[in-house]
Amino acid sequence: MTLFVPGPLAAEIEAVRHVVDPIQKRLIPAHVTLCREDELGRLSEMELDARLLSPHLKPVTLRFGEPEAFHGHGIVMYGIEGLEDFRFLRQTILGALDLKPQRPHITLAHPRNPQAPGNSLDRAAGLRTLPPINFNTLCLIEQVMGSPWQVLRSIELSAS
């Protein structure tokens, strides 16, 4: 389950991803992973449906720090604000208070992909001052055999 970066900010981030890791950009748009498949796999389809209809699911606003290198040529931006709301959204969906920690992040370049010629922190420097990002939609996604990720279902998060 993921939160795709919306609107004009997505275009700005995608322009950087196109240079630093075009393979990752082709596989999945800029996003924040909310729940991983091993976590969702603990829920039946009926349980998940009920939780996705919860009135407690609210939009999340996250602000991200400067791009950082990780695991060699990976580049990531970690969430630095809105972390508690992110955790609450995960708890509401997964129904557990003892969740494994998950720090929201946007992967600009994934180290499992070959290093692109334009892969450098300098190329990602323009993203240092991104404004907070409002996530109003969560998506259940799936990847089959290394192909691009597909959206199976979208859920609008209500502010009321």
Side-chain angles (χ1 to χ4, degrees):
M1 190 159 292
T2 198
L3 304 166
F4 287 109
V5 176
L9 287 177
E12 188 176 339
I13 294 169
E14 292 299 349
V16 170
R17 293 177 79 224
H18 179 74
V19 174
V20 300
D21 190 345
I23 292 173
Q24 191 68 11
K25 179 188 180 293
R26 182 184 60 77
L27 290 174
I28 187 168
H31 67 283
V32 175
T33 301
L34 182 63
C35 304
R36 299 194 179 279
E37 68 183 19
D38 63 320
E39 296 173 313
L40 292 172
R42 295 183 287 158
L43 301 173
S44 71
E45 193 172 327
M46 200 163 73
E47 287 174 309
L48 181 59
D49 284 345
R51 291 179 183 169
L52 293 177
L53 296 174
S54 169
H56 302 294
L57 295 182
K58 304 289 183 209
V60 174
T61 299
L62 297 170
R63 192 164 76 80
F64 295 89
E66 294 187 13
E68 301 177 25
F70 78 105
H71 297 295
H73 63 273
I75 303 173
V76 66
M77 293 170 44
Y78 289 108
I80 57 173
E81 289 180 11
L83 307 181
E84 186 59 32
D85 291 340
F86 179 81
R87 188 183 62 76
F88 181 77
L89 184 57
R90 280 177 46 77
Q91 279 181 334
T92 303
I93 292 168
L94 296 172
L97 295 176
D98 61 341
L99 297 175
K100 62 182 175 184
Q102 182 165 312
R103 189 173 177 191
H105 62 277
I106 298 172
T107 302
L108 302 175
H110 204 292
R112 80 172 150 248
N113 299 325
Q115 186 171 0
N119 180 286
S120 73
L121 280 176
D122 289 342
R123 298 286 177 122
L127 298 177
R128 286 185 186 154
T129 57
L130 283 181
I133 301 173
N134 300 313
F135 295 94
N136 299 314
T137 305
L138 63 88
C139 296
L140 185 60
I141 60 174
E142 176 182 56
Q143 183 184 40
V144 178
M145 302 290 291
S147 63
W149 289 81
Q150 299 296 313
V151 175
L152 303 177
R153 185 171 175 190
S154 295
I155 296 94
E156 293 300 317
L157 303 174
S158 172
S160 59

